[in-house]
Amino acid sequence: MQRSTTLKRRLSCTDLKSAKAMRSNLIQRPRSGSPLLMLSAEKDGCRSNCVYNPNDDRVYETTSDLSGYRFLGSSGKWFLVVDSLLKLYIIDVFSEERIDLPPLESFKGSLYKIERVGENKVRNILFSDLSPGDPHTAEDLRCRLWVGDNKEDYVVVWHFEMNDFLGFCKKGDDHYREILTRTGVRRELRGVKDMLLKGYSLYVLAIRDFIRHLDLSGHDEDGIKDVSENHKLPMWKPGMSRDEHERVNIYKITSSSESIAVTRLGQVLVVYSYELGNSQRHRMFHLYKRDPKDLDPKTYLTRLLEVHSLGDEALFLDLGTTVPADHTRGIEPNSIYFTRGDRIRHRNPSRPDICVFNLTTKTIKRFPTLSNFNVKDAQWFLPS
């Protein structure tokens, strides 16, 4: 199948004359590693998925029709998507290439099975008493994706919020395998607040603020090995500065979130973000890591240290990882690229806040062009 390496300029839904004139106006695919933003947006009464390039401040359509997909996660140029019938695919946003994934009802677990409810819903059934859970739609699905170089392998992990399990598959699998999040799991590692996938390593931020680390590289039936650190107390964050505390008391926190990320060297970071209820839509970020003296597995202390600088790296929170800064590619050093803090665990109210936060200056850069669109969701991605 021949691949296209171009994006089409975003078209107005109502201006047909301009649309015809611009359909041949193609741009070359950006340099490898240049940040792009996948948008689910409304403009002129039309709902569509499109791509924003911050380097030229323009919004483009992809060459293939991506309408009808909800974008769940990305790895390089590949996106994990779901359609309204709850069918999962991995797609290359620059071509027509698509990988069909197993149906959700192929899930094989020890405690649960998945069954269809009509055309566009599924629910889990507990084997022990055959009691059904609440039906889920495509809007309830949370996922992570990793695709290796040249597609030699891929890993997909999905989760329905409030369920007590995750499903995952790798290349060549015809079904999803089970990762239990409560039954048989150490108490401090139960539940899911956030998760990220870095190669075959799955990191889960548990409800009690411990981090569960699973190795999914195994080739046996389970394919899972728990390599979590054995700490007895949750990770405590240091308090705010006096000035920040006063600011919070005045304007009040309207929303907050906790996420996890992993640096290129494998350091796990806890990312805390909050938004204040003032007219400027002020957002703040704090990064934390484990105190080096607590790395001894025999320790009972797990106090965190604040990370004030990422150095010559940038954190893309949608991907859960850091990358080298590169001004030629538009990647700013010591910065956090953000869209929303509740990608895995839903919060109410929930809305995207597309921005780049500089850890040195504590300032935020937003993109005024996007105010012309009614953005429903967005994700940063780095096509390779």
Side-chain angles (χ1 to χ4, degrees):
M1 182 179 296
Q2 187 174 0
R3 299 185 184 181
S4 169
T5 59
T6 56
L7 296 175
K8 289 191 296 188
R9 179 83 177 273
R10 169 73 180 151
L11 307 175
S12 168
C13 298
T14 57
D15 191 348
L16 296 179
K17 185 176 180 179
S18 297
K20 290 180 180 178
M22 294 176 62
R23 283 191 188 278
S24 60
N25 185 12
L26 303 177
I27 65 170
Q28 291 298 313
R29 174 180 161 187
R31 289 181 61 187
S32 176
S34 296
L36 296 175
L37 193 67
M38 179 62 70
L39 299 173
S40 175
E42 289 183 358
K43 183 174 174 61
D44 300 329
C46 294
R47 179 82 176 262
S48 64
N49 293 311
C50 43
V51 176
Y52 173 68
N53 187 340
N55 290 328
D56 62 13
D57 195 32
R58 292 184 177 181
V59 180
Y60 297 89
E61 283 187 335
T62 55
T63 52
S64 56
D65 182 12
L66 301 180
S67 61
Y69 287 136
R70 179 168 172 257
F71 287 78
L72 302 171
S74 72
S75 178
K77 65 181 180 178
W78 300 94
F79 263 91
L80 179 61
V81 300
V82 63
D83 64 18
S84 61
L85 300 180
L86 269 172
K87 295 181 179 179
L88 288 167
Y89 310 95
I90 300 173
I91 62 171
D92 178 352
V93 297
F94 296 100
S95 76
E96 302 287 341
E97 186 169 0
R98 186 180 82 176
I99 301 170
D100 292 8
L101 294 172
L104 290 173
E105 56 268 34
S106 70
F107 174 82
K108 292 184 178 180
S110 60
L111 298 180
Y112 298 93
K113 67 176 181 178
I114 300 288
E115 70 172 16
R116 282 271 165 181
V117 182
E119 290 187 346
N120 61 354
K121 295 180 182 179
V122 298
R123 64 184 177 188
N124 52 283
I125 304 293
L126 185 63
F127 281 133
S128 61
D129 58 7
L130 299 181
S131 58
D134 294 330
H136 302 296
T137 68
E139 294 295 321
D140 302 319
L141 197 58
R142 309 286 186 263
C143 297
R144 291 297 189 188
L145 170 69
W146 171 75
V147 179
D149 297 335
N150 302 316
K151 288 189 310 179
E152 82 279 1
D153 201 0
Y154 59 77
V155 182
V156 171
V157 180
W158 54 259
H159 173 57
F160 285 110
E161 194 170 352
M162 307 309 294
N163 277 5
D164 293 342
F165 62 90
L166 310 174
F168 82 100
C169 75
K170 296 187 287 189
K171 185 176 181 179
D173 291 344
D174 60 2
H175 66 279
Y176 297 99
R177 286 176 273 184
E178 175 186 62
I179 302 174
L180 293 173
T181 59
R182 291 193 179 277
T183 304
V185 179
R186 287 178 5 216
R187 183 179 180 184
E188 67 272 18
L189 299 179
R190 294 173 186 170
V192 179
K193 290 174 68 174
D194 190 32
M195 63 181 180
L196 69 87
L197 198 54
K198 187 176 176 65
Y200 296 104
S201 287
L202 175 65
Y203 298 86
V204 178
L205 179 61
I207 298 299
R208 295 175 179 268
D209 290 333
F210 289 84
I211 294 177
R212 188 182 183 193
H213 182 190
L214 300 175
D215 180 358
L216 306 183
S217 64
H219 298 287
D220 55 11
E221 181 61 28
D222 291 334
I224 307 168
K225 182 179 180 180
D226 193 325
V227 291
S228 307
E229 293 179 355
N230 187 20
H231 288 282
K232 301 299 183 183
L233 295 173
M235 298 180 294
W236 303 107
K237 297 189 294 291
M240 297 179 181
S241 68
R242 180 176 179 179
D243 289 346
E244 186 176 0
H245 195 271
E246 290 179 353
R247 195 160 56 244
V248 167
N249 283 339
I250 294 172
Y251 296 110
K252 308 303 180 184
I253 294 176
T254 57
S255 66
S256 65
S257 62
E258 280 185 308
S259 309
I260 50 175
V262 176
T263 68
R264 291 191 300 148
L265 297 178
Q267 172 72 61
V268 179
L269 302 177
V270 176
V271 184
Y272 176 66
S273 172
Y274 65 83
E275 186 176 6
L276 294 179
N278 56 12
S279 58
Q280 297 179 354
R281 198 175 185 187
H282 179 78
R283 179 172 291 279
M284 189 66 183
F285 290 86
H286 291 282
L287 302 181
Y288 304 100
K289 67 178 181 180
R290 194 182 298 280
D291 191 328
K293 69 180 178 60
D294 294 338
L295 293 179
D296 184 343
K298 297 178 182 178
T299 186
Y300 283 84
L301 300 175
T302 52
R303 185 169 297 278
L304 296 176
L305 293 179
E306 184 158 9
V307 178
H308 296 284
S309 175
L310 291 170
D312 200 27
E313 294 189 3
L315 169 60
F316 283 79
L317 203 54
D318 289 330
L319 305 176
T321 190
T322 61
V323 299
D326 189 336
H327 287 292
T328 66
R329 290 178 168 85
I331 302 176
E332 301 179 14
N334 201 28
S335 296
I336 301 173
Y337 286 71
F338 182 81
T339 58
R340 67 190 317 144
D342 63 347
R343 191 159 303 285
I344 299 301
R345 191 179 188 192
H346 179 77
R347 292 180 180 271
N348 191 20
S350 176
R351 58 175 179 168
D353 183 13
I354 302 163
C355 61
V356 180
F357 180 82
N358 187 290
L359 280 166
T360 301
T361 62
K362 301 294 188 290
T363 56
I364 282 186
K365 180 177 78 174
R366 292 191 170 90
F367 306 91
T369 296
L370 298 180
S371 64
N372 297 322
F373 294 81
N374 183 10
V375 177
K376 300 297 185 181
D377 198 7
Q379 290 192 48
W380 289 104
F381 68 107
L382 297 168
S384 54

